């Protein structure tokens, strides 16, 4: 509740002055002067014991100056003076301002104490605020039953916004016996008393046909009322959806953007997301990446995880000013979203933890977050977690469970899951026909958009798995895919040049392709370049850079990178010899189908 609303609740406190027979107006009392905004008189009257003037003056001083200003500090002193004298409204104003973060102190315990003091003094608005805090555990211990009792008392005392909360209890039988008619009655009464939230709630019931007849026109009218003068953010945001999709009213993206903007300014997270989407797409408004970024950054807090997730995704898209975000900032906002309860963001946050991108690497924590996203229904996160179970990265290796998860996600339409299954068939299944089946799965996954599958399909030609070995056709496939910007295909083309198969042998061309593909994110390209630098093939030997490239590749779970690094530790090339480390790296490489690593592990 704003200070202005508190002033309205306090009502007139000036003494009425009797009529005079003379035409000259009667002198105004200090209370009247204070109410009219004479803050000097307010302070003087307060110091003289007029507690109502303390409340009026203190509230106005804080509203005029903002947090931390000298007048705001003086205003808080006046309110504390009146509260110490057991003035309920003064204690209530302090509590409410603390809840809203409009005082220097940010102490929910102090806020609840002040509101409790005011509530005991029969100040209904404070009882309502305290009831909400208690019911939902906002800053204090959650106690739904006690919160509901406080709200019922505030409602009985005429506080209409408390009746909105009480209505929910009667509708759903929370700590009271279900009484739908009584609950609807509270909402209707609240809406008639201009409690915008009650109008919105009634509109929502009509929109969904819950407890009342489904009626979009009635719902729309109630949303209009809720978004009226008091501009309930939920009502305005829902109206925006009606205008965006043309439900009941003529479709208007411009009107929808206006309503989303209004709701967003009032703190409605969904509306902020929708409005920024429209700013980025130029739907109903001019394209404005800068404004979209400012809005998302302003509204991304621990209490708005959906906004944080959207901001993180926009950062990764790197459009306009969003490209300025550092890896640390991107990880931070995904972390805020995930840990704030937006489980769909845990997929991205977990992935960044697993890769150590913009945050200290923690594979166990990363795998746990990916699992959480999977359990929340994110199919792609399930595919990722299945891969982690298959390789044992960050979680216990469980091939049976992994295959079950990947099979389900493949059937549900995730092409990457199908690719992982095909790889298992190609490299981990020696039964007759497994390569042919793998090829069919690669082809289907490639057509569905998984570039990894497209590269794997070309690999079959290179290795002669399930098809006639044909280096030339494989090279042509790699070239076509490389031209599409698929970095792993460029790395494969580099290896064809290095081997001189299907193309003229050229170390310089191979090295250039490895360099470019590594920069573009192909960990195979990094690994192959690292091996050449380690062994001094086609390039001057550079063990330091070789180690860096192989570590980077292995770090991102590429088998060749781990195998190449294992050889360095086994032989002590550029590192201290460490056979235990070598074995660990070989196990990791073997788990992801690097056969040479498996042979080396068997001999280790």
């Amino acid at each position: 509740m704003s200070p202005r609303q508190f002033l309205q609740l306090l009502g007139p406190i000036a003494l009425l002055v009797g009529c005079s027979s003379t035409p000259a107006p009667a002198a105004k009392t200090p209370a009247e002067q204070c109410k009219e905004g004479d803050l000097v008189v307010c302070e003087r009257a307060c110091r003289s014991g007029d507690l109502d003037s303390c409340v009026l003056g203190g509230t106005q001083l804080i509203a005029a100056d903002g947090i931390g200003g000298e007048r705001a500090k003086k205003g808080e002193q006046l309110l504390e003076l009146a509260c110490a004298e057991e003035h309920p409204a003064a204690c209530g104003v302090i509590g409410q301002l603390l809840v809203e973060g409009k005082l220097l102190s940010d102490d929910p315990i102090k806020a609840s104490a002040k509101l409790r003091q005011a509530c005991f003094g029969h100040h209904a608005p404070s009882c309502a605020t305290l009831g909400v805090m208690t019911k939902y555990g906002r800053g204090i211990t959650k106690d739904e039953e006690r919160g509901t009792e406080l709200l019922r008392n505030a409602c009985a005392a005429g506080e209409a916004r408390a009746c909105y909360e009480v209505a929910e209890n009667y509708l759903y039988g929370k700590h009271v016996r279900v009484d739908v008619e009584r609950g609807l009655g509270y909402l209707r009464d609240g809406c008639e008393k201009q409690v915008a939230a009650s109008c919105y709630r009634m509109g929502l019931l009509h929109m969904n046909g819950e407890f009342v007849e489904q009626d979009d026109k009635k719902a729309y009218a109630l949303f209009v009322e809720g978004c009226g003068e008091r501009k309930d953010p939920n009502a305005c945001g829902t109206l925006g959806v009606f205008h965006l999709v043309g439900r009941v009213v003529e479709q208007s993206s411009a009107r929808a953007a206006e309503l989303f903007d209004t709701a967003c300014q009032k703190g409605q997270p969904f509306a902020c997301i929708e409005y920024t989407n429209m700013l980025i797409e130029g739907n109903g408004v001019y394209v404005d990446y800068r404004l979209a970024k400012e809005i998302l950054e302003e509204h991304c807090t621990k209490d708005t995880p959906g906004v944080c997730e959207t901001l993180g995704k926009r950062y990764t898209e790197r459009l306009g000013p969003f490209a300025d975000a550092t890896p640390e900032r991107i990880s931070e906002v995904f972390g805020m979203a995930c840990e704030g309860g937006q489980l769909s963001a845990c997929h991205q946050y977990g992935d960044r933890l697993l890769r150590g991108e913009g945050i200290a690497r923690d594979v166990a924590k990363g795998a746990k977050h990916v699992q959480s996203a999977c359990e929340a229904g994110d199919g792609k996160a399930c595919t990722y977690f299945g891969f982690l179970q298959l390789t044992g990265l960050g979680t216990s290796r469980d091939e049976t469970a992994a295959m079950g998860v990947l099979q389900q996600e493949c059937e549900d339409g995730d092409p990457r899951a199908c690719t992982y299954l095909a790889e298992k068939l190609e490299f981990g299944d020696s039964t007759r026909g497994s390569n042919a089946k793998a090829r069919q799965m690669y082809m289907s996954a490639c057509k569905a958009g998984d570039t990894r599958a497209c590269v794997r399909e070309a690999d079959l030609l290179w290795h002669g798995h399930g098809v006639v070995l044909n280096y030339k056709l494989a090279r042509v496939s790699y070239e076509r895919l490389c031209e599409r910007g698929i970095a792993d295909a460029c790395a494969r083309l580099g290896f064809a040049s290095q081997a001189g198969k299907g193309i003229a042998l050229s170390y310089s061309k191979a090295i250039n392709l490895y360099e470019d593909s590594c920069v573009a994110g192909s960990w195979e390209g990094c690994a192959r370049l690292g091996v050449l630098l380690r062994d001094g093939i086609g390039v001057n030997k550079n063990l330091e850079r070789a180690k860096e490239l192989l570590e980077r590749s292995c770090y991102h779970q590429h088998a060749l990178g781990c195998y190449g690094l294992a050889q360095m530790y086994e032989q002590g090339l550029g590192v201290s010899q460490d056979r235990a480390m070598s074995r660990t790296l070989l196990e990791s490489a073997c788990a992801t189908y690097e056969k040479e690593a498996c042979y080396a592990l068997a001999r280790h």
Side-chain angles (χ1 to χ4, degrees), residues 77-384:
Q77 290 172 2
L78 297 183
L79 290 168
E80 288 284 7
L81 183 66
C83 182
E85 295 296 325
E86 304 294 333
H87 192 294
C91 299
V93 170
I94 295 171
Q96 187 66 39
L97 292 174
L98 284 166
V99 168
E100 295 176 357
K102 294 181 178 176
L103 296 179
L104 278 176
S105 171
D106 183 15
D107 186 348
I109 303 300
K110 181 180 177 181
S112 63
K114 293 293 184 183
L115 290 168
R116 192 174 295 109
Q117 189 175 348
C119 184
F120 287 160
H122 306 293
H123 190 251
S126 295
C127 296
T129 301
L130 183 62
V132 171
M133 290 177 69
T134 306
K135 182 179 178 181
Y136 297 106
R138 294 176 182 169
I140 58 176
T141 303
K142 183 177 180 178
D143 186 337
E144 287 191 58
E145 189 170 356
R146 174 59 179 156
T148 299
E149 181 185 350
L150 287 164
L151 288 164
R152 279 206 303 267
N153 291 340
C155 177
E159 183 63 16
R161 66 191 179 97
C163 297
Y164 165 82
E165 292 286 344
V166 173
E168 295 290 299
N169 288 84
Y170 280 110
L171 288 175
Y172 298 103
K174 295 180 179 178
H175 306 293
V176 293
R177 183 175 296 175
V178 171
D179 190 334
V180 172
E181 284 308 312
R182 191 171 184 180
L184 293 175
Y186 277 125
L187 289 177
R188 292 188 185 103
D189 184 58
C191 187
E192 288 173 4
K193 292 179 178 177
Q194 296 187 322
V195 177
S198 293
C199 297
Y200 163 71
R201 192 70 180 93
M202 277 300 299
L204 205 60
L205 295 178
H206 277 290
M207 185 177 81
N208 296 326
E210 186 180 12
F211 303 123
V212 294
E213 183 183 359
Q214 200 284 329
D215 190 327
D216 278 349
K217 289 185 178 180
K218 281 187 179 179
Y220 180 81
L222 287 160
F223 292 143
V224 168
E225 197 166 346
C227 184
E229 186 178 343
R230 293 180 181 270
K231 299 196 183 303
D232 176 80
N234 292 316
C236 295
T238 309
L239 272 181
V241 175
F242 271 63
H243 283 275
L244 184 64
V245 302
R247 185 171 177 174
V248 178
V249 293
E250 185 178 348
Q251 195 280 335
S252 172
S253 295
R255 178 59 178 151
E258 181 184 343
L259 288 161
F260 287 141
D261 183 20
T262 298
C264 178
Q265 289 182 42
K266 289 281 188 177
Q268 218 293 334
F270 167 77
C272 293
I273 293 170
E274 288 299 315
Y275 183 50
T276 55
N277 287 344
M278 298 181 83
L279 285 167
I280 288 169
E281 296 165 6
N283 183 14
V285 290
Y286 289 112
V287 171
D288 194 332
Y289 293 152
R290 179 194 56 77
L291 179 57
K293 179 173 180 277
E294 288 176 1
I295 290 170
L296 289 172
E297 288 183 334
E298 178 185 352
H299 291 275
C300 169
T301 70
K302 63 181 180 181
D303 297 320
T304 55
V307 176
C308 294
E309 181 184 27
T310 302
L311 177 59
K313 288 179 178 178
R314 294 300 185 189
Y315 280 151
T316 58
E317 290 168 0
R318 305 190 69 76
L319 294 173
F322 287 102
D324 296 337
T326 64
E328 290 75 18
R329 174 60 177 162
I330 298 172
S331 292
E332 178 190 9
V333 297
F334 276 131
M336 289 171 67
C338 174
E339 292 171 0
Q342 190 76 8
L343 294 181
S344 54
C346 294
H347 182 179
Q348 291 89 345
Y349 185 48
D351 179 51
R352 298 180 78 83
L353 282 164
L354 282 157
R355 293 185 288 113
E357 188 170 359
I359 192 170
R361 193 181 191 206
D362 188 333
V363 293
K365 185 177 180 181
K368 186 176 180 181
H369 281 309
V370 172
Q371 183 180 13
S372 296
C374 172
E375 291 171 351
D378 183 341
K380 292 188 182 300
C382 292
T383 295
Y384 193 1

